Amino acid sequence: MTTSTSASPRELPHVPWGRVRQGRRSADRAMKLIATGFTFCAIFVLFWILGMLVVKGIGGLSLATFTQVTPGPGSEGGGLANAIVGSFVLTFLGIAVATPIGVLAGTWLAEYGRKSQLANLIRFINDILLSAPSILIGLFVYVILVEPFRGYSGWAGGVALGIIAIPVIVRTTEDMLNLVPSPLREAGAALGAPPAVVITSVTWRAAKAGMVTGILLALARIAGETAPLIFTALNNNFWFSPSLVGGVSNLPVTIYQFASAPYENWQQLAWAGSLIITMSILVLSIVARRIVAGGK
Amino acid sequence: MTAATDMTSLPAGGMVTRRAPKAGFDRLFRTASFTAALLVLVLLAGIMVSMVVGGWPAFREFGFGFITSTVWDTQNEQYGAWPAIVGTLSTALIALVIGVPLSLGIAVYLTQLAPAWFKKPVSTAIELLAAVPSIIYGMWGLFVFVPLFAQYVQIPVSNVVEGMPILGTVLYSRSPSGLGIFTAGFILAFMIVPFIASITRDMLEQIPSVLRESAYGIGATTWEVVRHVLVPQAGVSIIGAIMLGLGRALGETMAVTFVVGNANRLSASILDPGSTIASRIANEFNEAMGLQLNSLIALGCILFFVTFVVLCIARLLVSRVKRY
């Protein structure tokens, strides 16, 4: 029996006499087929989703989408301008809240806390927050920022998104700082620089690319978050007030409200919004990945 | 390795003149970063406290019955969490049943079968599956998957199983709309696949290749290497990865809200509409007041403690895999 079908280069050099029983061989074949099939199944779903977004969303994209505000019930036309701007404002508010806290906390874990028990506890809790359901974070911010102030606000939305972003930034900052070789720190210390100076002007600079990646990944993570915004920033069909008090329109909640609405222009806008948001996030994640790959 | 701790005790040497402001900055920086780190603990504690406090009126009103009661009646102010809890657990279970084999297959393909040039694009595609926002999965589910599912699976299955014992209850749908517990679980499966698959892949890659090579050396097939060498080696952490996926599935909101059907009743069939804790909160929150609001937060409290336990177990089992 000379079969040369399954001999990929990483396996054993092919044995010229058949000693593999038929049953074992078919089990092996079946496993390979199933594993490959599953992988292509998942990739197929990704492209199915992207294809659906392009097919249904591209028709809704026009200049008006970016210049006009979201239409009220039953009114014609309209765009997503206020929702897009609102999403930008909320997302950057979230990142502005999360970046200093996340970077400092990650720095403490990597540079000061290290292997102490407290540092391990904080790491563990941070990992839990990393996968905590975002709806709970929305409820939490509702209880501490919306209920006491009697009203939805963009600030609450920004804080909710910030809380989701913090664990991502903590984790990447710590990982990236741990990659910086210790001799660099020691060299800084040998020049007489106190730890804070060593960290800010040596370690951070060495880890800069990785830390920026962490922030970009956090940005990608919160840009599409919907659940926490329902309880905090809510949504509306007008330009929001610059003080961000009251509902602040944003893309995810607009998509949520428009998608299953009975008005055709609303549905069209929901698809256009989905296309915009998904493509931005995918581009953001790919860019972030590129930076990591380039940094290595 | 102890450079940072030693640095604090270094004599300032020739920098005497500049010592005072630097020392101030040093202390400030240290305090600030320590405070930021503590804030992570405060956040989790805050979430826990706010859920318990916000849900307390509902727990006090209904006692233990809040968990076991199946009534959710806004007219008569009667609230019970049981249908939502069952919905949450069953969608998550369906997601695991479908998602785990998929993820393990993908991890095996990526580490053992894929040609070298093909690994990177496939890995990226799988990870992008995690980057697609939850609401987009909901749109895909509602507008693409649900009609197909209703027409090609739900109606035929209902026709076949009608009147059969057990199967006739579990798989029969009164109104084959495509929406339901099973649909939600199916969509969730694809949402948790990238998480389980990439952790498992990292785990399999960490296994020393000597082990694999020696198994191949005694004539094992690829399947036998995976089954008897790789899986036992990575065993516990694969379970951890699955628990992590479970944690995601339990709390997923938007996708589920779109496709679960949002029925308040408990149905015996997995093809019938139901609701999960997260979907019910998302659906009713903005119109809720008084006791209903407290009951919704109390639901959130239950969700918090369930996911907290699941994620704790997961993290202990996986113990620091590189993940973002």
Side-chain angles (χ1 to χ4, degrees), chain B:
Chain B
M1 282 305 284
T2 52
T5 39
D6 288 345
M7 278 189 287
T8 45
S9 58
L10 276 179
M15 299 180 66
V16 179
T17 45
R18 280 204 276 155
R19 195 177 173 187
K22 291 275 182 201
F25 172 65
D26 198 44
R27 200 172 305 132
L28 186 73
F29 185 81
R30 196 189 171 120
T31 319
S33 60
F34 184 59
T35 318
L38 283 186
L39 196 70
V40 173
L41 296 185
V42 173
L43 275 181
L44 191 85
I47 295 173
M48 198 183 298
V49 170
S50 68
M51 291 297 125
V52 173
V53 171
W56 188 246
F59 287 127
R60 198 184 43 206
E61 177 80 22
F62 304 114
F64 194 69
F66 181 72
I67 295 179
T68 52
S69 161
T70 57
V71 183
W72 187 275
D73 186 351
T74 44
Q75 304 298 316
N76 301 315
E77 298 261 291
Q78 285 299 311
Y79 302 104
W82 190 242
I85 294 176
V86 172
T88 307
L89 295 180
S90 44
T91 49
L93 189 72
I94 293 168
L96 287 187
V97 168
I98 301 170
V100 167
L102 266 175
S103 322
L104 297 187
I106 292 169
V108 168
Y109 178 79
L110 280 175
T111 52
Q112 315 297 320
L113 304 175
W117 62 270
F118 199 46
K119 257 185 207 179
K120 195 119 210 262
V122 174
S123 286
T124 313
I126 301 294
E127 278 166 30
L128 287 184
L129 217 43
V132 173
S134 162
I135 189 162
I136 304 299
Y137 278 99
M139 304 267 287
W140 175 68
L142 183 60
F143 295 105
V144 178
F145 181 74
V146 160
L148 291 176
F149 182 72
Q151 193 176 351
Y152 294 108
V153 180
Q154 213 173 14
I155 296 176
V157 165
S158 291
N159 288 341
V160 170
V161 299
E162 191 172 4
M164 286 163 95
I166 304 175
L167 277 184
T169 335
V170 179
L171 292 177
Y172 180 73
S173 50
R174 271 178 293 271
S175 55
S177 59
L179 302 170
I181 296 283
F182 180 84
T183 317
F186 187 85
I187 309 274
L188 280 176
F190 283 95
M191 303 183 69
I192 62 173
V193 155
F195 296 98
I196 306 181
S198 58
I199 296 178
T200 312
R201 179 200 60 197
D202 292 350
M203 286 306 173
L204 293 182
E205 262 168 6
Q206 277 171 20
I207 295 172
S209 53
V210 183
L211 285 176
R212 267 183 16 181
E213 283 157 16
S214 50
Y216 280 123
I218 56 168
T221 62
T222 309
W223 161 240
E224 286 157 351
V225 172
V226 170
R227 169 70 188 81
H228 298 290
V229 180
L230 300 184
V231 169
Q233 275 288 316
V236 179
S237 34
I238 292 180
I239 296 175
I242 294 171
M243 299 288 278
L244 214 57
L246 176 63
R248 292 256 169 201
L250 289 172
E252 192 47 66
T253 312
M254 299 321 295
V256 173
T257 310
F258 268 98
V259 298
V260 80
N262 300 313
N264 283 347
R265 280 178 305 103
L266 194 61
S267 172
S269 166
I270 59 168
L271 293 181
D272 269 342
S275 64
T276 70
I277 292 179
S279 77
R280 176 159 299 170
I281 298 174
N283 246 319
E284 300 186 7
F285 198 82
N286 287 326
E287 282 101 51
M289 297 193 295
L291 194 58
Q292 190 186 1
L293 189 68
N294 293 126
S295 303
L296 289 173
I297 299 179
L299 277 180
C301 185
I302 297 173
L303 178 65
F304 175 83
F305 283 104
V306 173
T307 45
F308 183 75
V309 170
V310 168
L311 291 175
C312 276
I313 300 173
R315 288 298 173 182
L316 289 174
L317 294 179
V318 179
S319 62
R320 296 299 275 179
V321 212
K322 198 166 173 293
R323 275 235 45 85
Y324 300 136

Side-chain angles (χ1 to χ4, degrees), chain A residues 191-263:
Chain A
L191 292 175
V197 176
V198 173
I199 291 167
T200 48
S201 40
V202 179
T203 330
W204 276 5
R205 284 175 74 176
K208 202 162 74 187
M211 289 161 69
V212 171
T213 308
I215 295 169
L216 288 182
L217 285 175
L219 202 60
R221 168 86 199 270
I222 63 176
E225 278 292 350
T226 318
L229 293 180
I230 299 179
F231 315 130
T232 52
L234 205 61
N235 193 19
N236 63 34
N237 288 337
F238 324 102
W239 281 104
F240 42 90
S241 76
S243 63
L244 298 185
V245 175
V248 171
S249 43
N250 58 83
L251 267 183
V253 182
T254 304
I255 296 171
Y256 172 54
Q257 292 176 345
F258 280 18
S260 34
Y263 313 109

Side-chain angles (χ1 to χ4, degrees), chain A residues 10-273:
Chain A
R10 289 192 297 118
E11 285 172 46
L12 255 196
H14 186 63
V15 192
W17 55 90
R19 277 199 307 199
V20 182
R21 270 187 293 108
Q22 195 57 46
R24 291 173 58 202
R25 197 189 298 274
S26 4
D28 187 48
R29 288 255 176 80
M31 184 279 285
K32 283 177 177 164
L33 210 67
I34 290 170
T36 315
F38 281 178
T39 309
F40 283 94
C41 177
I43 296 175
F44 174 71
V45 167
L46 176 72
F47 283 101
W48 191 0
I49 292 174
L50 296 183
M52 166 200 80
L53 288 176
V54 171
V55 169
K56 297 203 174 187
I58 207 111
L61 284 184
S62 65
L63 195 62
T65 315
F66 297 95
T67 53
Q68 295 183 12
V69 295
T70 43
S75 57
E76 287 290 305
L80 293 166
N82 54 340
I84 293 172
V85 175
S87 265
F88 265 108
V89 171
L90 292 179
T91 310
F92 282 100
L93 207 57
I95 285 295
V97 170
T99 303
I101 297 173
V103 166
L104 282 174
T107 306
W108 188 83
L109 288 177
E111 305 287 332
Y112 295 107
R114 291 165 178 241
K115 296 202 161 57
S116 68
Q117 290 214 328
L118 181 61
N120 284 334
L121 176 70
I122 292 174
R123 255 176 226 124
F124 186 76
I125 297 297
N126 189 63
D127 280 350
I128 296 211
L129 278 179
L130 197 61
S131 1
S134 58
I135 190 169
L136 292 179
I137 289 166
L139 279 183
F140 168 61
V141 174
Y142 176 87
V143 171
I144 62 163
L145 282 181
V146 177
E147 216 173 19
F149 295 103
R150 309 202 169 276
Y152 297 100
S153 74
W155 300 107
V159 169
L161 294 181
I163 294 176
I164 296 170
I166 285 173
V168 183
I169 299 181
V170 171
R171 184 66 185 271
T172 38
T173 304
E174 197 208 343
D175 285 349
M176 292 304 151
L177 291 179
N178 280 337
L179 291 179
V180 176
S182 282
L184 268 183
R185 298 187 181 94
E186 286 157 19
L191 292 175
V197 176
V198 173
I199 291 167
T200 48
S201 40
V202 179
T203 330
W204 276 5
R205 284 175 74 176
K208 202 162 74 187
M211 289 161 69
V212 171
T213 308
I215 295 169
L216 288 182
L217 285 175
L219 202 60
R221 168 86 199 270
I222 63 176
E225 278 292 350
T226 318
L229 293 180
I230 299 179
F231 315 130
T232 52
L234 205 61
N235 193 19
N236 63 34
N237 288 337
F238 324 102
W239 281 104
F240 42 90
S241 76
S243 63
L244 298 185
V245 175
V248 171
S249 43
N250 58 83
L251 267 183
V253 182
T254 304
I255 296 171
Y256 172 54
Q257 292 176 345
F258 280 18
S260 34
Y263 313 109
E264 203 175 317
N265 60 335
W266 280 26
Q267 291 171 10
Q268 189 59 261
L269 285 173
W271 285 110

